[in-house]
Amino acid sequence: MIHALGVLSRPPITDREDLDLVVGVMRDLMPGVSRENTRLMGLIQTADQFLTCRVSVPGCYGGLHDRARKAMNDWDRRRLADAWEHVRGPRGRT
């Protein structure tokens, strides 16, 4: 799910030919995604919106690309903060 949203969100999206395929892969994977993990909720909600979106132009999901970009950037920032906290360890925590 995370990698699929990355493909759907990272600019520039110039070749939309495979984006419907990416959404199809995500559709197959979503039943296995744990909805109990609160850290994933922003990504899950965004993925669900791609799965229910009706497109008039193949590969063009309108504002969902921007929503995915925002959700992925938030995810990346939180993972970076977690990694930094881990690297700093107990000595960096006050």
Side-chain angles (χ1 to χ4, degrees):
M1 173 189 69
I2 294 169
H3 294 299
L5 284 174
V7 170
L8 293 164
S9 69
R10 303 300 189 204
I13 300 175
T14 56
D15 182 8
R16 298 179 181 273
E17 186 175 303
D18 293 331
L19 295 186
D20 291 332
L21 175 66
V22 172
V23 171
V25 168
M26 192 164 51
R27 179 174 285 110
D28 291 344
L29 296 174
M30 287 304 291
V33 173
S34 172
R35 293 176 182 264
E36 296 172 11
N37 186 338
T38 57
R39 298 180 116 188
L40 292 175
M41 287 315 297
L43 298 176
I44 291 170
Q45 291 167 351
T46 302
D48 285 342
Q49 288 181 329
F50 272 97
L51 301 185
T52 59
C53 183
R54 302 270 188 245
V55 296
S56 57
V57 176
C60 186
Y61 292 82
L64 286 180
H65 296 291
D66 188 52
R67 179 174 166 88
R69 180 189 57 79
K70 290 175 184 175
M72 288 299 296
N73 286 345
D74 183 51
W75 172 261
D76 291 340
R77 277 190 299 275
R78 286 186 286 141
R79 297 296 66 79
L80 178 61
D82 290 346
W84 181 240
E85 185 70 21
H86 179 75
V87 167
R88 291 179 51 176
R91 69 179 183 271
R93 298 180 190 126
T94 55

